Amino acid sequence: MKRYFYYVVIMCMIINIMLNVPTYLIEQRYDGAVMGMIAAVVSGGLCAFMFIKSLRPFPGQGLPEIFRTYLPHAVRVPLLLYLGIMWFAAGGVALITFSRILQRYLDPDIDILVLRILLILICSILAAGSSRSILYLAEIIIIFHIPLIGLLLIKSLGYEYMDWDAVKVVSHYVKNPPNLEVVSVASYIFTGYINMAVFNRYFHKEDKITWLWIIPIIGIGVLFTTFFIPIGFHGTEGVETFIYVWVSTADSMRMEYGFVERVIYMFLLVYLSLSLLFITVTWHVGAELIKDAFSKKRWVQTAEQRFSWKLWIIILLLSVQCLLTLKYLNEKQFFELSRQWLILRYISEIGLVMIVFWLGRKASKCK
Amino acid sequence: MCDDTKLYYLIDKPFLSCQTAEEFTQSLLTYGAVKQTDALKLNEQITLGHTVVQHMGCVYSVNVKKSLNEQSEDIKIEHVLTGPQKALAEDLLANVHMIRSRYKKQELHLEQYILGRSSKTEVMLLFDVQLAKQQLLDRIRAKLLSIDVDILQSTGQLEILMNSRRFSLFPTMLITERPDRIVLNISQGKIVILLQGSPFALILPAVFYDFMSAMDDLYQAYWVSRGLIILRYIALVLTLTLPALYISLISYNPELTRVQLTMTIAGSRAAVPYPSYFEVFFMLFLIEALVEASLRLPKFIGSTATTVGGLILGQAAQQAGLVSSIMIILTSAVAISNFVIPINTMSAAMRFVKYPLIVLAILFGFIGTVAGMFFLIGYLANLRSFDEPYLKLFIGEQQASRPDKSR
C-alpha cells in the first residue's frame, strides 16, 4: 500500500506546470527566485516529514476522523470546509488553466465551456469513486507517463538550442533574498504529501512510509528543470514574453525520428491525462473532507464504497461555482487570482501541518 | 429419459433372479433406491429420470437416468498449441470427474444446488476449502440461493444472474471450457461453478488480467510468453483507439504526424466525399456485421462470407471512393487486434468500448480520445469482482491471480 503515497507526491511534482508555477517563478528570476526555490525545498521537505511523522499515531484514520476525536465541533466543521474548498480550488485552477491551453494550442475552434464540461464530468464521476480506486488509477497513469516525461526532459536537456549560458546567468542571482510569493509558489512541488489527509485511511500500521528523504531530492530536480529549461530555450529576457512558458518550450523541440514529430502534441496529450488525474485526486480529497464536515457519523472502513452520490453532488455543485466565477474574470485577472491562491495555500498548508503535528504529539502523549 | 441397460441391470434382472420378495427389496435398496412416502413427490422424481417401483406396498424410486454427452469434446474457443486439447463435456458428472482426476488434493470440495423453477438445472460449486476465502464462499452461496429464474441453460446466463449490476459491460467472472484453466484457478483459491448441460465453467472472482492471459503463457518459455502478453496489450490498445485516433487525426489535427504521412493520408482520402467519421462508421459496421455473420453461419459457408466480405467488398469500397485505403488497413487492424484478446467475453466488451471512444473523438478530437481512455482506465479501476480490485498494477503482491504465477 505504501508505494501509492509516492505516486500522489510525484503527480503533484509533475503537475506544477499546469498551476503556472514556472511562469510565476520566471517573473522573479532576477529577484530571489533561485534562493526562493532552495528555501522551498527546505520548507517543503520539512513539512512533508513533519506531516507524515505526525500521522503515524493515527493508522487507518484520515484528517476528518482525527479532527473528530480531538477538536470541538465548532472548530472542526469550518476547518474541514475551508480545507475542502482549498483542495477543490487546486483542481479548479488546473482545470481552467489546462482547458485554456488545450483550446489555444490543440483545438482553437472548440467551445471552451463545452470542453470544461466534458473534463468536469469525467473527473467528477471518477472522483466520486472509492479512494482505493483512485490510487490504483494514479498508479497506472503515473507509471505509463513517467517514461514519456523523462524522454521529454532528457530531450530538452540535450537539445541543440538549449543555451546553458542563460542558465548560468540566471543562477548567478542566487544571492538575492526571496519573498513570500516565490517560496510559496515553489513549494507547491512538495505538496503531494498533503493528500494523505484522506488517503491515510487506507494506510495501516504496517504501511510505514519510509524513504521520505527522497522527496526533497526529486523535488530539487523537478524545480530546477521546470525553472531553468525554459530559460535555456528562450534566453534570460525572452522567456518573460510567454504566458504558458512550458508549452512554448515543448513547441521549440522536434523529434526527427518520432512518429509524432512535434513534441508539443506529445506534451499536451501526456499532460492531459496527468491533469485529469490531478483534478480527480484533489476533488476526491476535497469532497471527502466536505462530506465529513456535514455527516453525523464517523467514517468507518466498509467493504468497498463504489460510487457515492453525495461526493458527486458536492463536486458538481462546486464545479458549477467554479465555472460561474470564471465568467467574470479574464485571463489576466485569473492569473492574479491563482497567484494569490498559491500564497494562501502555502500559509494554510503550514497551518495544517502545525495542527496535525500538535495533534500527533497529543495522541502519542496519551498513549 | 431412462437408460435401458440400467433399467435392465438394476430392476429387471434382480426381479427375475430373486427368490423371495424381501430379497428383491434388498437388492433395490443396494442399488440406491429411496423409499418414497409422499405421492406428490413422485412426479418430480420421474421428471428427474428416476424409475418408480411399487413393491410390497411400498414405493421406491431408483435413478436410471441416461446421461448424454459424457464424451468431452475438442477445444473450440480457447485453443492452445501445446497443452491439453480436450474441453469440458456437457455432462456435469463427467466434468467433475475430469477436474477431480486433475486435482487430487483432498481439500477439493463440491456443493450441489438446483436452480431454475422449470429446468431444475443441477449446479455444482467446486473449491479448495483450504485456499478459498470463507467470506467469498458465503457470498456466492447466498447469491446462488437467491437466484429465481424459470429456465437456466447456460453458463453465460448464470453469470448475468450472479452479477448484481443491471447494466454491466465488462465481465467480472471468467467463462472457460478448459479443464486445465479450471484446475489452475482452483489451486489459486478461486471458486468454480459447473452447470449440467453446459460445457463451460464459471470462475470467480476474475480480474482484468485473467481475461488477458491464455493458458499458453504457462506452457511456453519465459520470454516467449512475456512477448506474447505484451503483444496482446498492444493489440488491445490498438483495437480500442485506432478508429478514434483516425478521426481525430483527419478531422482535428492533421498536423500531428509528419508532413509526408499526412499527405499520404490526405491523398488516399481525396476521392472520399464525406467527413472521416462517416467512413469509420461505414467500415466498422461492415466488419462487425461480418464477424456476427460468420459466427452464425454454418462452418462451411462461413469462410465464403469472410472472403466475400473482407476481400472483395473492402477492395471494391476503396475503388469506388467510398472509403480511403488507409481506412481499410485500419479496419482490418482493429478487427484482427480484437481477436487477439484470449477470452471471448472480454473481446466482446472491448468491441463495444471503441464506439464511445469514437463518439468522443468526433466531438473533441484527440482531447476526447485521451480523456475517454483515461475514463476507461478509471472505470475499470473502480470495478470490483467480488471485492477484488478489477484493474490494478502489480497484482502479484496480493494474490497470484494471473496464470503465469503457478504455485
Side-chain angles (χ1 to χ4, degrees):
Chain A
M1 204 62 209
K2 65 182 175 193
R3 66 170 189 273
Y4 291 103
F5 169 70
Y6 294 100
Y7 297 127
V8 181
V9 169
I10 290 170
M11 176 193 77
C12 270
M13 286 183 178
I14 302 173
I15 210 69
N16 70 73
I17 292 161
M18 289 309 135
L19 292 154
N20 302 321
V21 168
T23 317
Y24 299 133
L25 285 180
I26 282 165
E27 260 175 32
Q28 311 218 7
R29 63 197 175 286
Y30 298 132
D31 349 280
V34 186
M35 194 58 165
M37 286 181 340
I38 296 168
V41 171
V42 176
S43 107
L46 264 181
C47 280
F49 185 72
M50 272 169 71
F51 192 74
I52 298 301
K53 268 270 177 287
S54 324
L55 277 178
R56 227 161 252 171
F58 310 106
Q61 293 178 49
L63 271 196
E65 287 79 52
I66 299 171
F67 285 177
R68 205 177 275 266
T69 326
Y70 291 99
L71 293 180
H73 187 74
V75 181
R76 182 181 73 91
V77 173
L79 190 59
L80 280 180
L81 279 180
Y82 172 72
L83 288 175
I85 288 167
M86 283 306 276
W87 247 284
F88 210 83
V93 171
L95 172 86
I96 289 159
T97 315
F98 195 60
S99 55
R100 274 218 175 95
I101 291 176
L102 281 180
Q103 191 205 24
R104 191 152 302 159
Y105 293 91
L106 205 59
D107 282 337
D109 305 327
I110 209 163
D111 185 351
I112 196 160
L113 185 69
V114 179
L115 178 63
R116 273 178 193 147
I117 289 173
L118 170 84
L119 299 183
I120 284 175
L121 276 181
I122 285 180
C123 292
S124 60
I125 291 173
L126 290 183
S130 82
S131 306
R132 258 176 206 279
S133 315
I134 286 167
L135 290 176
Y136 298 152
L137 174 69
E139 179 175 55
I140 295 169
I141 297 291
I142 295 286
I143 293 241
F144 282 109
H145 287 86
I146 283 283
L148 294 173
I149 302 260
L151 177 74
L152 196 81
L153 286 184
I154 290 167
K155 179 94 195 162
S156 56
L157 284 176
Y159 205 65
E160 50 184 322
Y161 299 134
M162 176 83 189
D163 180 13
W164 288 97
D165 280 341
V167 174
K168 275 179 204 154
V169 168
V170 173
S171 60
H172 284 162
Y173 290 87
V174 65
K175 281 175 198 153
N176 293 9
N179 54 17
L180 178 66
E181 186 198 323
V182 171
V183 179
S184 49
V185 165
S187 74
Y188 194 83
I189 305 268
F190 299 94
T191 205
Y193 68 87
I194 205 108
N195 289 314
M196 285 294 279
V198 163
F199 293 133
N200 198 46
R201 286 170 174 174
Y202 296 93
F203 287 66
H204 300 291
K205 263 226 160 68
E206 63 273 16
D207 305 312
K208 197 176 156 192
I209 293 164
T210 43
W211 287 41
L212 269 176
W213 48 267
I214 211 165
I215 295 178
I217 292 175
I218 302 176
I220 291 175
V222 172
L223 254 183
F224 280 76
T225 44
T226 201
F227 177 68
F228 282 119
I229 288 176
I231 291 177
F233 268 78
H234 304 301
T236 50
E237 285 301 318
V239 70
E240 206 174 28
T241 51
F242 298 101
I243 309 172
Y244 304 112
V245 62
W246 254 97
V247 186
S248 309
T249 307
D251 205 12
S252 324
M253 285 182 271
R254 78 182 256 268
M255 287 190 286
E256 290 85 355
Y257 305 110
F259 184 77
V260 178
E261 195 181 13
R262 290 173 66 184
V263 172
I264 182 175
Y265 290 110
M266 195 185 92
F267 175 83
L268 284 179
L269 295 180
V270 164
Y271 266 93
L272 175 58
S273 313
L274 288 169
S275 308
L276 286 173
L277 175 70
F278 177 76
I279 299 167
T280 307
V281 169
T282 46
W283 284 6
H284 175 75
V285 174
E288 281 281 354
L289 293 178
I290 294 177
K291 190 182 97 177
D292 203 87
F294 291 118
S295 81
K296 292 208 173 62
K297 271 179 279 171
R298 194 188 162 92
W299 179 86
V300 278
Q301 192 160 359
T302 48
E304 271 299 333
Q305 115 254 15
R306 267 192 197 146
F307 181 87
S308 138
W309 289 99
K310 274 186 203 159
L311 286 188
W312 201 45
I313 288 165
I314 293 173
I315 295 168
L316 282 189
L317 281 180
L318 282 173
S319 46
V320 167
Q321 194 68 32
C322 165
L323 287 181
L324 281 181
T325 42
L326 205 66
K327 238 185 144 182
Y328 302 103
L329 291 178
N330 61 25
E331 198 166 345
K332 209 165 180 182
Q333 288 163 329
F334 177 71
F335 237 72
E336 278 313 304
L337 187 75
S338 72
R339 187 203 304 268
Q340 299 305 324
W341 174 78
L342 276 171
I343 298 170
L344 179 64
R345 180 209 60 84
Y346 181 61
I347 297 165
S348 24
E349 181 183 319
I350 289 184
L352 178 63
V353 171
M354 287 302 166
I355 294 173
V356 173
F357 181 69
W358 171 60
L359 292 178
R361 288 283 299 271
K362 214 168 150 183
S364 42
K365 256 182 205 164
C366 286
K367 280 171 194 169
Chain B
M1 279 184 81
C2 295
D3 190 344
D4 285 344
T5 42
K6 261 190 188 170
L7 203 62
Y8 172 71
Y9 280 112
L10 297 187
I11 296 164
D12 294 0
K13 205 177 158 196
F15 183 68
L16 295 174
S17 60
C18 282
Q19 305 294 323
T20 59
E22 286 76 24
E23 209 175 309
F24 180 58
T25 318
Q26 206 59 45
S27 108
L28 272 181
L29 290 173
T30 335
Y31 288 128
V34 182
K35 203 172 185 177
Q36 298 289 347
T37 46
D38 190 356
L40 289 171
K41 264 196 169 173
L42 289 179
N43 289 336
E44 201 180 295
Q45 292 293 327
I46 288 172
T47 53
L48 285 176
H50 289 227
T51 295
V52 175
V53 181
Q54 193 180 11
H55 175 63
M56 303 266 294
C58 294
V59 179
Y60 301 92
S61 72
V62 193
N63 186 1
V64 290
K65 190 183 171 195
K66 189 173 190 171
S67 44
L68 300 165
N69 302 325
E70 268 184 353
Q71 288 300 313
S72 67
E73 290 169 36
D74 285 339
I75 280 168
K76 287 203 186 96
I77 298 168
E78 293 167 67
H79 289 284
V80 296
L81 277 179
T82 50
Q85 299 291 337
K86 288 284 182 193
L88 290 178
E90 290 209 340
D91 185 64
L92 183 63
L93 289 176
N95 289 341
V96 170
H97 172 80
M98 202 185 299
I99 292 165
R100 198 29 158 162
S101 58
R102 279 172 184 271
Y103 194 73
K104 298 199 178 73
K105 259 173 89 180
Q106 63 172 359
E107 280 83 8
L108 180 68
H109 273 223
L110 307 174
E111 274 174 28
Q112 201 178 17
Y113 294 86
I114 308 274
L115 297 181
R117 286 192 302 274
S118 305
S119 63
K120 300 240 183 288
T121 317
E122 288 167 60
V123 173
M124 198 76 95
L125 204 64
L126 282 89
F127 54 91
D128 187 314
V129 81
Q130 232 174 21
L131 301 171
K133 282 185 202 154
Q134 196 56 43
Q135 215 179 344
L136 178 66
L137 267 174
D138 292 340
R139 251 185 92 178
I140 289 168
R141 281 184 194 128
K143 199 111 218 188
L144 277 175
L145 291 174
S146 72
I147 285 175
D148 180 38
V149 69
D150 196 33
I151 303 275
L152 177 68
Q153 306 202 72
S154 86
T155 322
Q157 194 189 357
L158 185 65
E159 188 203 333
I160 295 167
L161 290 169
M162 297 269 293
N163 194 345
S164 43
R165 298 162 74 95
R166 208 170 132 217
F167 303 106
S168 58
L169 173 61
F170 290 97
T172 49
M173 288 162 250
L174 185 74
I175 294 181
T176 184
E177 58 169 355
R178 298 192 59 85
D180 50 346
R181 196 188 275 270
I182 296 172
V183 168
L184 182 78
N185 278 291
I186 290 178
S187 76
Q188 287 167 351
K190 300 201 177 184
I191 293 161
V192 174
I193 299 177
L194 290 171
L195 210 69
Q196 170 66 36
S198 164
F200 294 97
L202 199 63
I203 299 174
L204 42 111
V207 296
F208 189 76
Y209 300 105
D210 294 331
F211 295 96
M212 293 301 287
S213 64
M215 287 308 286
D216 263 1
D217 301 346
L218 271 181
Y219 306 144
Q220 275 168 341
Y222 180 82
W223 286 113
V224 178
S225 70
R226 279 306 140 108
L228 288 176
I229 291 171
I230 292 169
L231 173 94
R232 241 171 259 151
Y233 281 96
I234 294 172
L236 173 70
V237 173
L238 284 186
T239 190
L240 281 176
T241 55
L242 266 188
L245 287 180
Y246 179 77
I247 292 173
S248 328
L249 186 69
I250 301 283
S251 302
Y252 280 86
N253 294 96
E255 72 274 23
L256 183 110
T257 50
R258 44 187 56 241
V259 183
Q260 293 88 332
L261 183 61
T262 313
M263 294 306 264
T264 316
I265 297 174
S268 89
R269 279 196 88 249
V272 183
Y274 32 69
S276 58
Y277 69 88
F278 193 85
E279 202 184 358
V280 168
F281 273 129
F282 182 68
M283 276 320 281
L284 283 183
F285 171 76
L286 274 184
I287 199 88
E288 298 290 356
L290 192 69
V291 170
E292 194 62 17
S294 53
L295 188 72
R296 304 276 164 239
L297 280 174
K299 238 187 205 163
F300 310 101
I301 315 177
S303 56
T304 326
T306 40
T307 317
V308 173
L311 289 175
I312 302 173
L313 216 142
Q315 183 74 15
Q318 191 255 323
Q319 277 176 356
L322 281 176
V323 291
S324 66
S325 46
I326 300 271
M327 188 60 221
I328 303 272
I329 300 171
L330 216 118
T331 317
S332 24
V334 166
I336 294 166
S337 307
N338 201 349
F339 296 132
V340 173
I341 302 169
I343 300 288
N344 187 264
T345 42
M346 182 51 90
S347 105
M350 287 306 172
R351 240 168 95 186
F352 178 83
V353 168
K354 65 176 177 273
Y355 292 98
L357 281 176
I358 289 174
V359 172
L360 278 174
I362 291 171
L363 296 175
F364 297 99
F366 278 107
I367 304 172
T369 315
V370 173
M373 280 303 280
F374 178 81
F375 185 75
L376 176 68
I377 296 174
Y379 176 77
L380 287 176
N382 226 335
L383 273 183
R384 296 284 184 274
S385 169
F386 293 90
D387 289 342
E388 288 281 317
Y390 196 63
L391 182 64
K392 173 175 183 263
L393 286 186
F394 311 119
I395 200 153
E397 61 167 6
Q398 259 190 353
Q399 192 190 30
S401 60
R402 272 177 297 176
D404 58 358
K405 278 254 174 101
S406 57
R407 281 180 294 173

